[in-house]
């Protein structure tokens, strides 16, 4: 056992450090989860308005797919600059700014008039939200040691199922009651109310978030020292073995490797999420509204348990590689299964496959992020994490366009061929995740 490993294990075993980690998790994680809840809600609630935007404003299927995906172009362009600014001004101010501005843009969707205004607002939503997710990933990597980081990432990822469990019925309910408001349509009420929620979350974030353990009044002096000591140890190893600086991170082969894995993951996530209301509506024969929103909440409910269990269990490199490979394989197989069920009019099986797919891609996300945060630090972390998330998230741009293009090319009456196309990429990610056993990282000694 090396001196570094022994020192790290001794630090991690200290009760004072465990106390500091527990206090930090209780203070920070609820606010971060709330931010991501409203973020994920505002980027995916467009699925509830697809049919209404077509009927009321003439937004065609092609324009909807472009608008759904172009969000990620704006997101990708401004991701790295946003991350670097967060590093400079601090998470407290920057994450609050992101939430407030994207909430304002999201509320403006209530005033969409035609295809150009819809597409423009989707692009602007991506611009204003850029930096939230990688900023939080970087923020958590500065607060929590690698041993417990996947667990914290998993708690943060719980925002996705919570958003869909709460948000889908909420979106359906707002549409239903909004249709009763004279002079307004339900989808307009939905966009406006959910945008205002993001603004309120941003204001709250300014008061709840703290820029680093040294400024945390809720920690004792001993707890601050213990947490800063173990984080400094990990940062020293990252500086010794990982890329240094912005350009070095952007040229690093491992950064690009995990960018490709994350791209495959986002193809699956958004290929399913954007079209989930319409897919469940088609499977069950129900009109998009509260009933469909409640059904969509089921997969995300089970996703909570999958995400939390994997986050707690994946505390070594070997376990992370194993979970990552299996969960990517499960994602691809279950997406295929949902397409088959739709073609063969099997609503129960369709919902089961969708549920398993959601559980799989939710649980694998925190595992993927544990790898780059183990070898990136400082400005290299800001640039590298931003690059992985920005280019990886282009999968969200490709997914709806790919699905629509395949359906049109194959003239698929049920839309199943487009779903099959989306299910291929997780198998690529599974192979790449398995191949990470060839990677050697000194920071892995701190886990194994």
């Amino acid at each position: 056992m090396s001196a570094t490993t022994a020192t790290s294990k001794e630090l991690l075993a200290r009760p004072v450090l465990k106390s500091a980690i527990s206090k930090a998790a209780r203070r920070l994680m609820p606010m971060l989860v709330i931010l991501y809840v409203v973020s994920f809600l505002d980027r995916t609630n467009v699925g509830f308005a697809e049919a209404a935007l077509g009927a009321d404003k003439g937004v065609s299927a092609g324009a909807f797919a472009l608008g759904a995906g172009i969000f990620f172009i704006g997101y990708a362009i401004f991701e790295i600059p946003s991350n670097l600014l967060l590093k400079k001004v601090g998470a407290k101010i920057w994450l609050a700014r992101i939430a407030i501005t994207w909430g304002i843009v999201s509320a403006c969707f209530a005033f969409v008039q035609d295809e150009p205004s819809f597409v423009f607002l989707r692009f602007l939503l991506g611009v204003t939200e850029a930096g939230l997710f990688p900023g939080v990933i970087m923020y958590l990597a500065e607060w929590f040691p690698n041993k417990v980081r996947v667990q914290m990432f998993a708690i943060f990822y719980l925002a996705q199922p919570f958003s869909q469990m709460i948000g889908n019925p909420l979106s359906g309910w707002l549409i239903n009651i909004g249709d009763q408001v004279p002079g307004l349509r339900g989808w307009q009420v939905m966009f406006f109310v959910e945008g205002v929620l993001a603004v309120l979350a941003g204001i709250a974030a300014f008061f709840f978030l703290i820029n680093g353990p040294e400024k945390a009044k809720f920690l004792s002096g001993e707890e601050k020292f213990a947490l800063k000591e173990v984080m400094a140890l990990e940062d020293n190893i990252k500086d010794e073995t990982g890329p240094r600086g912005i350009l070095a991170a952007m040229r690093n082969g491992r950064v690009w490797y995990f960018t490709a894995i994350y791209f495959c993951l986002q193809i699956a996530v958004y290929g399913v999420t954007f079209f989930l209301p319409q897919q469940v509506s088609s499977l069950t024969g129900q009109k998009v509204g509260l009933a469909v929103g409640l059904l969509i909440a089921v997969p995300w409910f089970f996703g909570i348990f999958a995400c939390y269990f994997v986050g707690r269990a994946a505390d070594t490199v070997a376990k992370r590689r194993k979970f990552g490979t299996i969960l990517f394989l499960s994602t691809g197989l279950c997406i295929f299964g949902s397409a088959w069920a739709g073609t063969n009019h099997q609503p129960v099986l369709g919902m089961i496959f969708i549920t398993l797919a959601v559980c799989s891609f939710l649980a694998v996300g925190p595992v993927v992020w544990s790898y780059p945060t183990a070898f990136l630090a400082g400005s290299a972390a800001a640039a590298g994490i931003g690059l992985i998330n920005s280019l990886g998230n282009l999968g969200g741009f490709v997914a709806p366009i790919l699905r629509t293009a395949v359906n049109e090319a194959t003239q698929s009456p049920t839309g199943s061929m487009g779903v099959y196309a989306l299910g291929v990429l997780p198998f690529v990610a599974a192979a790449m995740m398995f191949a990470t056993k060839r990677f050697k990282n000194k920071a892995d000694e701190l886990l194994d």
Side-chain angles (χ1 to χ4, degrees):
M1 183 182 296
S2 70
T4 298
T5 305
T7 303
S8 174
K9 288 185 176 179
E10 290 169 1
L11 290 173
L12 289 169
R14 293 173 63 190
V16 66
L17 179 60
K18 293 180 179 179
S19 173
I21 290 171
S22 178
K23 286 184 179 180
R26 289 197 302 269
R27 172 60 188 263
L28 302 175
M29 296 312 299
M31 188 69 251
L32 296 174
V33 168
I34 289 171
L35 280 177
Y36 199 35
V37 164
V38 291
S39 161
F40 206 77
L41 177 61
D42 283 341
R43 70 168 70 174
T44 59
N45 60 6
V46 68
F48 276 86
E50 179 182 5
L53 284 168
D56 295 344
K57 301 298 179 180
V59 177
S60 66
F64 178 83
L66 175 62
I70 205 169
F71 165 92
F72 297 97
I73 300 297
Y75 198 89
I77 293 171
F78 290 92
E79 190 89 314
I80 294 175
S82 179
N83 240 26
L84 293 171
L85 283 168
L86 182 145
K87 191 73 178 174
K88 183 176 182 179
V89 306
K92 179 185 180 70
I93 293 175
W94 198 247
L95 292 179
R97 191 285 304 165
I98 291 173
I100 291 169
T101 53
W102 103 60
I104 292 170
V105 173
S106 183
C108 287
F109 275 86
F111 309 106
V112 164
Q113 295 299 315
D114 48 26
E115 291 181 347
S117 61
F118 171 72
V119 173
F120 172 74
L121 281 174
R122 285 293 297 178
F123 176 79
L124 192 59
L125 187 65
V127 171
T128 53
E129 194 186 329
L132 174 74
F133 183 87
V136 172
I137 292 295
M138 188 168 63
Y139 183 62
L140 292 176
E142 293 174 350
W143 269 92
F144 297 100
N146 195 11
K147 187 73 173 177
V148 299
R149 199 170 296 151
V150 172
Q151 184 178 348
M152 297 305 153
F153 289 164
I155 293 173
F156 178 55
Y157 258 72
L158 292 180
Q160 289 190 31
F162 278 131
S163 173
Q164 301 306 300
M165 281 177 57
I166 300 168
N168 283 317
L170 174 64
S171 295
W173 179 70
L174 287 172
I175 286 175
N176 286 351
I177 65 168
D179 282 334
Q180 311 304 315
V181 178
L184 292 176
R185 301 288 291 167
W187 59 270
Q188 292 176 304
V189 173
M190 176 194 73
F191 280 128
F192 188 81
V193 171
E194 292 176 358
V196 170
L197 290 178
V199 173
L200 296 176
I203 294 171
F206 179 78
F207 293 99
F208 278 90
L209 297 182
I210 296 142
N211 293 331
E214 66 279 359
K215 296 183 180 179
K217 294 181 180 179
F218 61 86
L219 296 178
S220 69
E222 191 178 6
E223 288 168 335
K224 289 181 184 179
F225 179 80
L227 190 55
K228 287 161 59 178
E229 188 178 18
V230 72
M231 298 308 296
L233 172 63
E234 292 190 358
D235 285 344
N236 288 336
I237 294 175
K238 293 176 187 179
D239 286 337
E240 290 175 9
T241 61
R244 294 184 181 183
I246 297 170
L247 293 178
M250 297 180 71
R251 292 195 301 262
N252 186 269
R254 282 183 295 171
V255 168
W256 285 95
Y257 190 89
F258 288 105
T259 298
I261 291 177
Y262 197 59
F263 177 83
C264 294
L265 173 61
Q266 297 304 85
I267 286 276
V269 171
Y270 289 105
V272 172
T273 305
F274 278 142
F275 295 91
L276 199 51
Q278 297 301 324
Q279 188 171 0
V280 172
S281 175
S282 177
L283 275 170
T284 61
Q286 296 275 348
K287 182 182 177 182
V288 174
L290 179 59
V292 168
L294 290 171
L295 282 172
I296 294 173
V298 173
W300 300 99
F301 172 78
F302 286 101
I304 291 174
F305 299 98
C307 197
Y308 185 73
F309 168 76
V310 172
R312 287 185 62 88
D315 60 353
T316 69
V317 175
K319 288 179 181 178
R320 290 173 183 179
R321 181 171 59 249
K322 178 180 177 181
F323 276 116
T325 303
I326 292 172
L327 289 168
F328 271 123
L329 289 173
S330 174
T331 298
L333 289 171
C334 292
I335 289 175
F336 281 179
S338 69
W340 175 88
T343 302
N344 292 277
H345 308 291
Q346 299 287 334
V348 176
L349 281 176
M351 287 301 301
I352 291 173
F353 280 123
I354 288 172
T355 299
L356 292 174
V358 169
C359 288
S360 299
F361 68 59
L362 270 178
V364 80
V367 175
V368 171
W369 280 111
S370 70
Y371 284 85
T373 56
F375 67 86
L376 294 170
S379 60
I385 292 171
L387 180 68
I388 292 169
N389 196 63
S390 62
L391 297 187
N393 262 305
L394 290 178
F397 174 75
V398 173
I401 295 174
L402 173 65
R403 179 169 173 165
T404 301
V406 170
N407 284 336
E408 291 177 352
T410 59
Q411 298 183 343
S412 174
T414 61
S416 61
M417 294 307 296
V419 180
Y420 281 123
L422 299 174
V424 173
L425 276 298
F427 291 105
V428 177
M432 294 182 71
M433 184 62 72
F434 182 75
T436 59
K437 67 180 181 179
R438 297 182 177 273
F439 289 0
K440 301 298 180 184
N441 184 7
K442 189 175 179 181
D444 292 346
E445 294 180 14
L446 304 184
L447 295 179
D448 296 333

